[in-house]
Amino acid sequence: MSISWKRKLGMASTLSSVLFLSACNDNDSVEKTAKNVINEVVKPDANAVTVGPRPLFLVSEMQSSPLKTKLEQCASGSFYRSDFSIGHRGAALQFPEHTKESYQAAIDTGAGIVECDVTFTKDKALVCRHSQCDLATTTNILAMPELAKKCSVPFSPADPANGVKATATCCTSDISLAEFKTLKGKMDGSNPNATTVEEFMAGTPTWRTDLYSGNGTLMTHAESIALFKAAGVKMTPELKSASVTMPFDGFTQQDYAQKMINEYTAAGVDPADVYPQSFNLEDVKYWIANTPEFGQQGVYLDDRYDLANFDPQNATTWSPSMTELANDGVKIIAPPLWVLLTLDADNNIVPSEYAKAAKAANLKIITWTLERSGLLSQGNGGWYHQSIANAIDNKGDTFEVLDVLAKQVGVIGVFSDWPATVTYYANCMDN
């Protein structure tokens, strides 16, 4: 935390002492002294945040344990931003991802680092979208006829009688930056059984909400940098894999990787405040070799879990090895949380062999994504908890998982769709 509990208690003690001593003076002096002390000691802290009711709701759902007791005792504390808390696409549990509103919610709930997934438009402008071709499910593009007709795959209604699902594919590379900026963000989702555009767009998962949706402000990459810099938070841009063939109109993969870094340099951002990410190991190696001041915090997003023979408990199924990655200059690795966890003979959540090997190779670890699985009491935690499904049956298990990741695996940061949960934990445990 940026300010410890002891310091806060000391500030309160100082205020009480000065007010007590002031009582010996006349009323005007007391009032003036009190105002001075309040202005001096209790002035707003730019790093102070509000975590809201969700963290304590999750704590209340936990089974009795020393961890639950500890977390309950932090309920009345003040909370501050933590780099341990990373806003995944902002605060995507409740706000449309990669919108100004989602980013601001992440900042307000204590994310010390916020993510912009970076892709590009038809005129090669860098913008924040999780996928180059997700506009049909994350924006209102289908409701804008002039832009909808530019989609790579225009909307096609479902034909239930013949088992045909509704489809649409709209890419940032289908439209210009100016056109992109006219779109509004919505909660990610679609209805595959839709027979109309309106039905297709109304597909928000039931465990999310549309209360803050419908008018999300889309952001360019440069605009996200300006927002994060002004707020004083660090940044973790992910260079997304292009859905179009590269080079794209002469725009090579190296041009793409370099342009992303150039926008931080142009904005005067300290490289220490940037954690560039990619699932493409060659991108990370490019940054290490060509922009070492940024590359030293390059994050390799490990997607080898998609390989048929991948086993987090068997090092022979990972190539390159952890040692080889470290020898190539990689310092931070980021797999999904299930890759880092397994169950012991007593059904306790413990670090996987993958996690142990990464630590042995002196690789720092970031993981993803907390609170992206819906209700943990249904479906044993879904994809993100698949390696520990037999131990997941309660919404409060979110904190049990987080505790193992922090204390036993030793991750340096956790992506979350609702950063307040990780912020609460980090403050309570002084992460």
Side-chain angles (χ1 to χ4, degrees), residues 4-300:
S4 69
W5 297 108
K6 290 182 179 179
R7 181 179 168 194
K8 292 297 291 182
L9 290 172
M11 290 165 66
S13 176
T14 300
L15 176 60
S16 299
S17 299
V18 175
L19 290 177
F20 175 78
L21 291 173
S22 298
C24 297
N25 301 320
D26 57 66
N27 289 338
D28 288 343
S29 296
V30 170
E31 184 177 350
K32 289 177 182 178
T33 303
K35 286 181 178 179
N36 289 339
V37 171
I38 289 171
N39 289 334
E40 188 67 29
V41 179
V42 198
K43 60 187 177 183
D45 187 332
N47 290 316
V49 299
T50 302
V51 296
R54 183 166 178 79
L56 277 176
F57 165 73
L58 295 177
V59 171
S60 73
E61 294 291 311
M62 295 174 68
Q63 298 173 358
S64 296
S65 67
L67 175 61
K68 179 175 182 177
T69 300
K70 171 68 173 175
L71 291 170
E72 286 174 332
Q73 292 172 347
C74 298
S76 61
S78 299
F79 298 97
Y80 299 87
R81 286 189 200 142
S82 170
D83 289 356
F84 191 72
S85 178
I86 306 174
H88 184 241
R89 314 183 198 179
L93 182 65
Q94 295 193 37
F95 290 80
E97 63 186 45
H98 293 307
T99 61
K100 181 179 181 180
E101 293 76 15
S102 186
Y103 291 151
Q104 191 61 56
I107 293 166
D108 292 343
T109 54
I113 306 173
V114 186
E115 177 189 46
C116 165
D117 287 331
V118 181
T119 188
F120 55 87
T121 61
K122 187 174 183 178
D123 43 357
K124 307 184 195 72
L126 301 187
V127 296
C128 300
R129 285 290 92 197
H130 177 249
S131 166
Q132 188 164 43
C133 294
D134 70 3
L135 296 182
T137 61
T138 65
T139 76
N140 65 337
I141 190 170
L142 293 179
M144 304 178 71
E146 288 304 309
L147 295 184
K149 68 183 182 183
K150 297 185 177 184
C151 291
S152 295
V153 180
F155 172 71
S156 177
D159 180 0
N162 294 300
V164 176
K165 300 295 185 181
T167 58
T169 302
C170 305
C171 308
T172 56
S173 50
D174 292 333
I175 58 177
S176 69
L177 173 61
E179 291 168 329
F180 174 84
K181 290 290 288 179
T182 67
L183 300 176
K184 295 296 182 182
K186 74 177 191 69
M187 294 299 281
D188 186 17
S190 62
N191 176 5
N193 299 312
T195 58
T196 67
V197 163
E198 292 74 20
E199 290 177 349
F200 185 83
M201 293 174 63
T204 302
T206 56
W207 48 273
R208 290 184 179 154
T209 178
D210 279 316
L211 286 174
Y212 310 105
S213 189
N215 200 35
T217 307
L218 270 58
M219 304 283 285
T220 67
H221 177 235
E223 287 171 340
S224 78
I225 294 172
L227 178 67
F228 301 156
K229 185 179 179 182
V233 298
K234 296 179 182 178
M235 312 163 202
T236 184
E238 180 190 336
L239 193 73
K240 300 303 297 187
S241 297
S243 298
V244 293
T245 301
M246 298 292 278
F248 175 73
D249 190 25
F251 192 51
T252 68
Q253 184 66 27
Q254 292 74 26
D255 292 337
Y256 182 25
Q258 185 63 54
K259 185 171 184 176
M260 188 183 86
I261 298 300
N262 288 348
E263 294 198 347
Y264 289 93
T265 302
V269 176
D270 187 337
D273 290 340
V274 183
Y275 294 82
Q277 321 165 65
S278 181
F279 281 106
N280 181 355
L281 182 57
E282 294 307 310
D283 291 336
V284 180
K285 289 181 179 180
Y286 175 86
W287 294 323
I288 292 169
N290 296 279
T291 60
E293 66 279 17
F294 289 92
Q296 65 180 339
Q297 292 194 150
V299 180
Y300 171 41

